[in-house]
Amino acid sequence: MSTQTQSPSIALEYVKTIGIVNNGFNGRGFANPYDMVVGGDGRIFVLNRCDPLRAAAIRVGICNLDEEYLGEFGRGNGAGDGQFVWPVAMALNSRDRLHITDEYNHRVTIYSTSGEYLSHWGTAGSGNGELNGPAGIAIDSSDNVFVVDQHNARVQKFTTEGEFIAAWGAFGSGEGQFNLPWGVAVDDDDNVYVADWRNDRIQKFTNDGEFLAAYGGSGSGEGQFQRPTSVAVDSEGFIYVADWGNERVQVLGPDGGFQLILRGQATVSKWAEDYFASNPEEKAERDISNLVPDLPSHLNTPYHVSSQTEPYFWGPVSVTLDRDGHLYVAETNRHRFQVYRKR
């Protein structure tokens, strides 16, 4: 089974998979993870969006690369302090403050990394500083906060306290225009990258919103995208894209040129091994299951292939990097994330 195409410029090796579905309201496991950030101490914060039946369990789970589950925080579903309805993305500032977007409540909520609710800001609207479906969020070296204002087709720049600084973008497909933008990232030079979801491309801007470049286009070929949801940029300028509609992750070079594709190569997580050890009848069923089937031609679409091929990404909604060169890919449909390392 081929899972990635490589160029000599960059290679990624699979490390492990972490996760298991959590059907309850707390404890080890994830429920539709949408994003994650990694703290300087190695703790991994995972944003659980949850399906409607478990909306009261919306929370941030905490674990590490050794697969220790360290706890969770959040106040569930709603519009009260520390609550969410449709949480989307997270970013961590220099003071260890987690900023979390909520596209339903049109706001950004701030927690400490110890799980203390601190504040929230944002009001619904289309004026300067107002939000309509905030999605991706990123923070630059000066702790300025960039929020993808999805339904207003723009990016807004705020202070960490939510004071409006600037905005750019308009609906369309031209340079600097957006059509349902979603993810955002900042590189080491504080340039801003936006996953322009319905335009199937990544756009690059200066910190003040000047258009610099656009990468990609609609399709399933190398360097093409189908509804990209997330973007991350490493210290060497390589660009990682969650190519959600194609059920894959693509890596571009600093110039935007295609580098490689990841389809996913998940193995059973430690948490899942623990579960199967306690449930041998389910382990026996798994052992006789075809987890990498050959599908008929009419089901040869990225969605169908990924949904039936357990090692592959299914719903790769978010890509995240840590300081040690690990790439984390959150799979909302399989309640897990896969970890890769640049070599």
Side-chain angles (χ1 to χ4, degrees):
M1 178 178 63
S2 176
T3 60
Q4 72 180 49
T5 303
Q6 295 186 354
S7 82
S9 300
I10 183 175
L12 294 170
E13 62 180 1
Y14 171 77
V15 176
K16 63 166 53 180
T17 295
I18 299 177
I20 191 171
V21 62
N22 184 325
N23 289 315
F25 288 84
N26 54 54
R28 185 172 69 172
F30 305 129
N32 307 109
Y34 246 60
D35 197 18
M36 60 185 62
V37 297
V38 183
D41 59 1
R43 287 186 298 163
I44 304 167
F45 299 85
V46 182
L47 180 62
N48 293 272
R49 178 156 165 144
C50 298
D51 61 43
L53 294 178
R54 289 175 290 171
I58 294 171
R59 64 191 182 278
V60 176
I62 313 169
C63 64
N64 59 26
L65 266 179
D66 292 329
E67 297 182 66
E68 298 174 301
Y69 191 73
L70 305 174
E72 59 201 28
F73 58 84
R75 299 182 179 177
N77 177 265
D81 290 349
Q83 292 186 313
F84 306 94
V85 177
W86 292 340
V88 176
M90 300 189 296
L92 187 64
N93 75 2
S94 65
R95 295 186 292 157
D96 284 339
R97 300 293 189 256
L98 275 170
H99 294 60
I100 307 172
T101 57
D102 184 335
E103 62 176 317
Y104 184 90
N105 284 323
H106 309 293
R107 68 189 188 190
V108 174
T109 295
I110 304 173
Y111 272 92
S112 72
T113 54
S114 62
E116 177 189 4
Y117 163 76
L118 299 176
S119 64
H120 65 259
W121 47 262
T123 57
S126 58
N128 286 341
E130 297 177 332
L131 300 168
N132 188 355
I137 188 168
I139 297 177
D140 69 12
S141 62
S142 299
D143 276 347
N144 296 308
V145 181
F146 297 86
V147 178
V148 173
D149 194 4
Q150 180 186 179
H151 297 296
N152 284 325
R154 64 185 179 183
V155 173
Q156 294 203 69
K157 181 178 179 180
F158 299 89
T159 68
T160 194
E161 292 81 16
E163 297 174 359
F164 173 78
I165 297 174
W168 70 85
F171 176 79
S173 58
E175 294 182 352
Q177 296 180 326
F178 302 109
N179 190 346
L180 289 181
W182 190 258
V184 64
V186 176
D187 67 16
D188 283 2
D189 294 322
D190 282 340
N191 295 310
V192 180
Y193 298 71
V194 181
D196 191 2
W197 192 79
R198 190 162 279 174
N199 282 324
D200 297 323
R201 64 185 180 182
I202 302 299
Q203 294 199 69
K204 179 181 178 180
F205 301 88
T206 67
N207 196 265
D208 296 320
E210 179 186 350
F211 173 83
L212 295 175
Y215 311 127
S218 300
S220 58
E222 295 179 347
Q224 296 179 321
F225 303 112
Q226 182 68 22
R227 305 302 186 251
T229 49
S230 179
V231 58
V233 186
D234 70 19
S235 60
E236 294 183 295
F238 288 99
I239 305 163
Y240 303 76
V241 181
D243 190 5
W244 176 80
N246 283 319
E247 303 284 358
R248 64 188 185 183
V249 170
Q250 292 199 69
V251 183
L252 309 180
D255 62 353
F258 170 79
Q259 293 289 312
L260 64 84
I261 288 172
L262 296 175
R263 291 294 306 276
Q265 52 192 100
T267 50
V268 176
S269 72
K270 179 181 177 181
W271 301 349
E273 289 176 349
D274 292 344
Y275 175 82
F276 287 130
S278 300
N279 296 271
E281 71 287 351
E282 293 201 30
K283 176 64 163 59
E285 288 295 321
R286 175 187 171 82
D287 288 343
I288 63 174
S289 299
N290 184 359
L291 303 178
V292 188
D294 291 323
L295 299 178
S297 58
H298 71 281
L299 295 179
N300 190 24
T301 67
Y303 179 87
H304 285 106
V305 171
S306 285
S307 68
Q308 300 299 311
T309 308
E310 192 189 68
Y312 281 3
F313 301 128
W314 186 25
V317 70
S318 172
V319 288
T320 300
L321 299 166
D322 69 13
R323 298 176 183 178
D324 297 320
H326 293 104
L327 168 69
Y328 303 78
V329 183
E331 297 178 66
T332 188
N333 291 336
R334 284 205 170 96
H335 315 287
R336 68 188 186 188
F337 60 87
Q338 296 188 38
V339 186
Y340 295 79
R341 178 172 49 226
K342 190 163 71 171
R343 63 172 192 240

